[in-house]
Amino acid sequence: MVFLVFDGVKMLDVAGPAEVFAEANGLGADYALAYASASGNPVASSIGTPLPVDSAASELADVDTLVVAGGDGLVAAPIPQDLVEAVRGLRDRPRRLVSICTGSFVLAAAGVLSGRRATTHWRHAALLARAHPDITVEPDALFVEDRGVFTSAGVSAGIDLALALVEHDHGPDLAREVARNLVMFMQRPGGQSQFSAPLELRPPRTPALRAAADLVAANPALDHGTDALAAAVGVSPRHLARLFAAELDVSPARFVERTRLDHAKGLLDAGHSITATARAAGFGSTETMRRAFVARFGLAPSQYRARFATTTPTTSTDQQP
């Protein structure tokens, strides 16, 4: 397990996953952790702490897993060519390649992600897609695996990916014990959204619209028809519809449905039954929820629940509903 680091590397992108693997070692795993830079010299981390390395990337003889950490500089300036060449020189040797956060830009520059699915921090997903149109970027996934190449979203998602790798290597029981020892959530599957719908949407500026959105988010199961919402916030239904269109570019009904669907995802992630989820999320029946779920996510609630029942990342062969 080799971490490839560089000047400006985000410390948590290295320390977070490394701590997961080290904790796993204490429970019976056998990860040999090492650190390398392109030059073989120590690097300065994002917090200013020097990070020593064991060797230059070119000196590595046996690499099972190569982890390319991220850093803000990878998207603010050209990626150092020696870093790209280091990955190119190693790409065919490890059993698996891993990037944390913006480390995906290094893999992309080295040609590793060409023709593959990948993710990165949601702030930089559009940039990755524009710069590398040959990559299928999934901006809303915590982590993705495609033919032995693993990419993760920002910072803490690298810890989720590390836990998933431990589960893949040593089984769910050991991974669960690691999660418990580190006070982590075990159930953050790769396909889970990087952020919830309320975080994704900018807060409405208009008080009446903000109140309506808060009502829906607080209890999706209530009657949130346009007339009922308008009455609750003290405006006419027509005015409320105009507010939703102007600020959120969505109708009140569509906003309610999206909020209910995201609530349903959270309930399914937590292990609730499909019937209980449909009732708690405000759908009239399981069939109504199923139709809405398929229309938005491309798979049925039962398939979503089965697919994301563990930490295992989504794969390139696991996309059909």
Side-chain angles (χ1 to χ4, degrees), residues 118-138:
T119 193
T120 190
H121 192 293
W122 65 270
R123 286 189 182 277
H124 308 301
L127 175 60
L128 182 63
R130 288 196 305 269
H132 301 277
D134 56 335
I135 300 171
T136 301
V137 178
E138 300 194 358

Side-chain angles (χ1 to χ4, degrees), residues 231-301:
V233 300
V235 298
S236 71
R238 179 176 296 182
H239 183 58
L240 184 63
R242 284 198 297 264
L243 291 176
F244 269 101
E247 289 201 38
L248 302 181
D249 193 28
V250 68
S251 69
R254 182 57 59 85
F255 177 86
V256 171
E257 182 182 79
R258 288 180 180 177
T259 302
R260 285 173 172 166
L261 284 169
D262 282 295
H263 187 59
K265 282 178 62 180
L267 292 171
L268 293 171
D269 286 338
H272 292 269
S273 71
I274 292 172
T275 300
T277 295
R279 181 172 59 251
F283 292 98
S285 66
T286 56
E287 177 58 24
T288 300
M289 183 176 75
R290 189 196 69 81
R291 288 197 301 267
F293 217 90
V294 170
R296 182 174 177 193
F297 302 121
L299 73 172

